[in-house]
Amino acid sequence: MTEEIDFILESTEESMNGTIAHLEKEFLNIRAGKASPAMLGGVFVDYYGAATPLSQVSKISVPDARTITLQPFEKNMLSAIEKAILVANIGFNPMNNGDVIIISVPPLTEERRRDLAKQAKSEAEDAKIGIRNSRKDANTDIKKLEKEGTSEDICKSAEEEVQNLTNTYIKKIDELLAVKEAEIMKV
């Protein structure tokens, strides 16, 4: 019977790791002052009728901390890329010089930094909810095993293990949030 509990614990930990990975990916999309290709991660270009990620139709580079350049693989895609960036509403004004698109990343205002910190907190809270849902699912599975005849002591220790996992991952989320907030608020 402990094999089933081991399986529950492993799948719970896997789920919690997935939640942390998702949070880290979301944090990459939150701008923290300096230019990064990840800022354009949510931009999709109309490429011959299909919504295609910007990174698949152009080379994205960051020559300095305040500039992003886009070199389209096909010259006729310049205006479509420009339009996609404007439609994405990410606060950038692309400039087209006929060969490349240049995006100047403006410095963040204090108010914008606070908004981004709030956004980071919101993402962290969503991740905590995901961790708690994983805990709830694991505890439900453990309760089912207890009803099926697994000893109460084994189930109690498994529930404690799940709670320990939950505490560990919630702490990780808090640490990631603290790092991201410091990064955002640094001028």
Side-chain angles (χ1 to χ4, degrees):
M1 280 296 188
T2 57
E3 281 181 24
E4 291 162 330
I5 288 186
D6 286 344
F7 175 74
I8 291 169
L9 292 174
E10 284 174 16
S11 64
T12 301
E13 188 166 8
E14 198 174 297
S15 169
M16 290 179 177
N17 274 326
T19 302
I20 294 289
H22 177 74
L23 177 66
E24 288 171 337
K25 194 175 136 212
E26 290 300 316
F27 276 177
L28 281 178
N29 292 334
I30 298 175
R31 185 177 149 202
K34 60 181 189 264
S36 155
M39 293 173 159
L40 301 172
V43 178
F44 288 87
V45 180
D46 180 24
Y47 185 67
Y48 300 108
T52 309
L54 186 58
S55 60
Q56 292 182 12
V57 295
S58 67
K59 177 180 171 243
I60 303 172
S61 57
V62 183
D64 61 57
R66 295 262 174 251
T67 311
I68 301 173
T69 60
L70 302 157
Q71 176 75 50
F73 298 135
E74 298 176 27
K75 267 225 164 102
N76 63 341
M77 292 302 297
L78 277 168
S79 62
I81 291 171
E82 210 172 359
K83 183 180 171 199
I85 293 168
L86 291 170
V87 168
N89 198 19
I90 49 178
F92 294 141
N93 191 12
M95 294 177 289
N96 176 350
N97 71 3
D99 289 325
V100 294
I101 293 174
I102 301 166
I103 299 172
S104 181
V105 180
L108 294 171
T109 63
E110 186 65 29
E111 183 182 339
R112 182 70 179 132
R113 287 180 195 281
R114 278 196 224 101
D115 288 345
L116 291 172
K118 274 185 199 167
Q119 186 182 346
K121 270 187 185 138
S122 170
E123 292 295 343
E125 201 49 50
D126 290 347
K128 287 180 182 180
I129 290 168
I131 297 292
R132 292 183 193 117
N133 285 338
S134 296
R135 174 184 64 190
K136 186 179 123 219
D137 293 344
N139 285 338
T140 302
D141 292 343
I142 291 168
K143 292 263 190 267
K144 279 183 195 167
L145 288 178
E146 191 174 351
K147 285 180 183 169
E148 292 170 6
T150 304
S151 87
E152 198 176 315
D153 291 342
I154 291 174
C155 290
K156 281 286 179 226
S157 70
E159 285 177 358
E160 287 173 16
E161 185 65 33
V162 168
Q163 186 57 48
N164 289 340
L165 278 174
T166 303
N167 294 343
T168 302
Y169 281 93
I170 295 284
K171 187 176 176 211
K172 260 187 200 174
I173 289 170
D174 289 335
E175 289 167 359
L176 287 170
L177 176 62
V179 167
K180 188 64 181 181
E181 281 183 324
E183 192 179 304
I184 290 169
M185 295 313 282
K186 189 176 101 188
V187 179

